[in-house]
Amino acid sequence: MEEFYEKNRAYGGDYTNFCACILYFTLPALNLRSPAFYSWLLEVAVVYIIASLIGTFSISDLRNRTVDFKFLKNNAKAGLIVVILSLAALGIGQVASHQFFHAGAYQKLMPVENREFSEDITQISMNDVPIVDRDSAVRLGNRKIGELVNLISQFEVDEYSYSYTQINFQDVPTRVAPLRYGNIIKWFNNRSEGIPGYISVNMATQDVDLVQLEQGIKYSPGEYFFRDLDRHLRFKYPTKIFEDYSFEVDDEGKPYWICPVINYTIGLFGGRDVVGVVIVDACNGDSTYYDIKDCPEWVDRAYSADIIVEQINYWGQYKNGYINTLIGQKDVCMTSGGYNYLALDDDVWLYTGLTSVGNDESNIGLVLVNMRTKEAHYYIVSGATEYSAMESAEGQVQNLAYNATFPVLLNIGSQPTYLVSLKDNAGLVKKFAFVNVEKYQQVAIGDTLNEAYSVYVKLLSSGQMIDTGDLSEITGRVVQVDSAVKDGNTYFYVQISGSDKVFMASIQLNDVLAVLKPEDRVTINYVDSEDTFVMMNQIEKK
């Protein structure tokens, strides 16, 4: 009996060390609702069985060249039971969580409220329009780090999925990305000071800054051993299931890792949803868990885009049950296949088009979801899918073979409008295009954002897209008139009494611009915006 106890203790000690080693590298959540937990059990059980059968697990047995096959066989049986139970849990859990049994619960994961587009999405200044997509931000960031010889020899910009995330930094749409060590040798050389800073890209002005920190970043996915972010989280929160994390900075520019914590709310493995976030100080590793309702307001991305799009699809597909998605498909809709982000009220909102499953060429509406609170709005707007708008813009410059970026959604003249950047083969933005969502055959192209906007406003004033009654109107006395030549066209700038805006238009709008003088009384129609300089749609001299 004593001999059996000693053998089992030695055998169990070796096995425990092995399990800990597997845990160190695979980092599963020790949670019965985590599929990764059962995968980890399978891995250690299979190795346990193999080691038991060949009798090579106990170091003392190898030394003495004696093996108790009965003892090993009993242990192999125990490992086989773990394998069977793990596979059963995975299989039964997947079936019991299937949408067939819980279509209503899946559909209600994301409550969606019907809203009016023009009331929620106000027209912003062209100076604040985010024109830098992720690919352009990567190029700008690499160019910036390339200018700093002392840093590029040791560090590079981290370009993984958690980097260049869009956030609102002091009410400005911004993309931020941490630096990372060039390789493990450079990590050894710099680990005591940490990563010196992060890249910040203003999405409107394209200004790029390398923000250098007083205390370096010492916790990140590019670290090693216990400063690796995944390992740091796992050993501090062993039972929590983490979703994709993102890199953000607070209002003072201090870097943090935002790590969503998920739970499976339907069956065993179904209905994944964010229940909280762990916010990790990237410099010292301090972390705090918040329930999702208590998430700090400066955080912009508590929910991953994958979860949001998944739940929008559930909401659109299962309105009339699971069988309806296979037969009849009444009112069944799904996302258009792409998404982008909007900055609204100092929050980041994901937006995507909804298209009927029977017609993937046009949208039946738009959905906006707050990435911190999961507040969701649905706007009934029929028109082009984002990809149709991209093709329409590319068609205007097909001789140049430019590629369109995924659109940015804007409100111009109370109309949902896509802004598309057109890039050459080198990835450089060459032109901009405005595409009306409802009438996507009408495209306004320009070499600059303002030029494209001017063309688009002219289309609005012509009545091809909206009625002139939807435009703003002002009547007043001319205070000052100036002119300038831009891109070969003469533009006039008119200031009138009762307004602090400067109204501008090319001579092609109306010949009366050439003979205007102070004290003349005029009526101007225009698309209102936050800009000081706004384009006229019509001008009439009284």
Side-chain angles (χ1 to χ4, degrees), residues 215-219 229 232 254-257 279-288:
Q215 181 182 2
I217 296 173
K218 295 185 178 180
Y219 291 83
L229 182 62
H232 178 69
K254 185 175 178 59
Y256 291 89
W257 294 101
I279 300 179
V280 181
D281 187 315
C283 297
N284 60 31
D286 291 345
S287 63
T288 305

XYZ file of all heavy atoms in Angstrom, residues 215-219 229 232 254-257 279-288:
169
model
N 6.837 56.798 -18.282
C 7.036 55.412 -17.888
C 6.677 54.520 -19.057
O 5.591 54.628 -19.610
C 6.167 55.050 -16.678
C 6.337 53.613 -16.196
C 5.419 53.296 -15.019
O 4.637 54.127 -14.584
N 5.521 52.075 -14.515
N 7.580 53.658 -19.483
C 7.374 52.849 -20.673
C 6.285 51.795 -20.505
O 5.912 51.408 -19.398
N 5.764 51.334 -21.650
C 4.776 50.261 -21.671
C 5.483 48.937 -21.410
O 6.373 48.537 -22.167
C 4.045 50.222 -23.025
C 3.254 51.515 -23.231
C 3.145 49.001 -23.143
C 2.630 51.653 -24.606
N 5.089 48.244 -20.347
C 5.738 46.985 -19.973
C 4.800 45.786 -20.047
O 5.228 44.654 -19.806
C 6.329 47.096 -18.571
C 7.458 48.113 -18.486
C 8.105 48.122 -17.113
C 9.277 49.110 -17.069
N 9.926 49.131 -15.739
N 3.537 46.011 -20.366
C 2.566 44.922 -20.492
C 1.881 45.053 -21.846
O 1.211 46.049 -22.112
C 1.544 44.961 -19.352
C 2.151 44.607 -18.019
C 2.821 45.578 -17.272
C 2.100 43.307 -17.527
C 3.409 45.258 -16.054
C 2.686 42.977 -16.319
C 3.341 43.962 -15.592
O 3.923 43.631 -14.393
N 0.572 40.081 -22.132
C -0.750 40.512 -21.699
C -1.694 39.332 -21.472
O -2.416 39.293 -20.462
C -1.355 41.477 -22.730
C -2.730 42.042 -22.374
C -2.665 42.855 -21.088
C -3.263 42.909 -23.515
N -0.604 37.615 -18.286
C -0.856 38.488 -17.139
C -2.339 38.449 -16.758
O -2.693 38.349 -15.563
C -0.441 39.918 -17.503
C -0.697 40.929 -16.439
N -0.005 40.957 -15.245
C -1.580 41.967 -16.384
C -0.439 41.963 -14.500
N -1.396 42.593 -15.171
N -2.923 58.541 -21.387
C -2.288 57.401 -20.732
C -2.779 56.114 -21.380
O -3.983 55.931 -21.571
C -2.617 57.408 -19.238
C -1.905 56.315 -18.440
C -2.181 56.462 -16.963
C -1.518 55.344 -16.159
N -0.055 55.305 -16.328
N -1.867 55.194 -21.721
C -2.271 53.992 -22.472
C -2.831 52.885 -21.578
O -2.342 52.641 -20.473
C -0.957 53.548 -23.123
C 0.106 54.000 -22.172
C -0.397 55.286 -21.566
N -3.860 52.219 -22.094
C -4.489 51.105 -21.398
C -4.847 50.013 -22.406
O -4.987 50.271 -23.611
C -5.778 51.543 -20.685
C -5.568 52.446 -19.504
C -5.527 53.825 -19.656
C -5.417 51.922 -18.214
C -5.332 54.666 -18.566
C -5.227 52.765 -17.117
C -5.191 54.113 -17.311
O -4.993 54.943 -16.233
N -4.996 48.812 -21.881
C -5.563 47.707 -22.655
C -6.994 47.489 -22.177
O -7.242 47.336 -20.978
C -4.742 46.430 -22.472
C -3.363 46.547 -23.040
C -2.210 46.771 -22.353
C -2.997 46.459 -24.414
N -1.145 46.840 -23.207
C -1.600 46.642 -24.486
C -3.701 46.243 -25.594
C -0.904 46.610 -25.692
C -3.011 46.221 -26.791
C -1.636 46.398 -26.841
N -9.681 46.600 -17.373
C -8.855 47.680 -17.902
C -7.470 47.550 -17.279
O -7.318 47.600 -16.058
C -9.466 49.056 -17.598
C -10.849 49.152 -18.241
C -8.562 50.169 -18.097
C -11.560 50.473 -17.993
N -6.467 47.341 -18.128
C -5.097 47.095 -17.681
C -4.229 48.309 -17.990
O -4.169 48.756 -19.149
C -4.504 45.846 -18.350
C -3.089 45.583 -17.849
C -5.383 44.624 -18.097
N -3.577 48.844 -16.987
C -2.596 49.909 -17.193
C -1.423 49.319 -17.966
O -0.749 48.407 -17.487
C -2.136 50.443 -15.838
C -1.235 51.674 -15.961
O -0.322 51.654 -16.813
O -1.426 52.625 -15.192
N -1.193 49.825 -19.174
C -0.163 49.239 -20.033
C 1.239 49.449 -19.490
O 2.165 48.727 -19.874
C -0.269 49.826 -21.444
N 1.409 50.407 -18.578
C 2.750 50.711 -18.073
C 3.123 49.890 -16.841
O 4.240 49.369 -16.762
C 2.860 52.202 -17.754
S 2.651 53.284 -19.196
N 2.206 49.752 -15.897
C 2.563 49.039 -14.663
C 1.783 47.753 -14.438
O 2.026 47.040 -13.471
C 2.405 49.959 -13.451
C 0.983 50.476 -13.286
O 0.014 49.810 -13.629
N 0.847 51.691 -12.758
N 0.827 47.448 -15.300
C 0.100 46.193 -15.205
C -1.059 46.193 -14.232
O -1.751 45.171 -14.101
N -1.311 47.293 -13.532
C -2.462 47.352 -12.633
C -3.748 47.161 -13.426
O -3.885 47.691 -14.540
C -2.515 48.695 -11.903
C -1.391 48.847 -10.895
O -0.761 47.828 -10.562
O -1.133 49.991 -10.454
N -4.684 46.421 -12.863
C -5.907 46.130 -13.599
C -7.117 46.241 -12.686
O -7.021 46.030 -11.472
C -5.851 44.737 -14.225
O -5.753 43.739 -13.233
N -8.256 46.576 -13.294
C -9.516 46.694 -12.570
C -10.624 46.098 -13.424
O -10.677 46.334 -14.642
C -9.857 48.164 -12.264
O -8.772 48.768 -11.565
C -11.123 48.269 -11.424
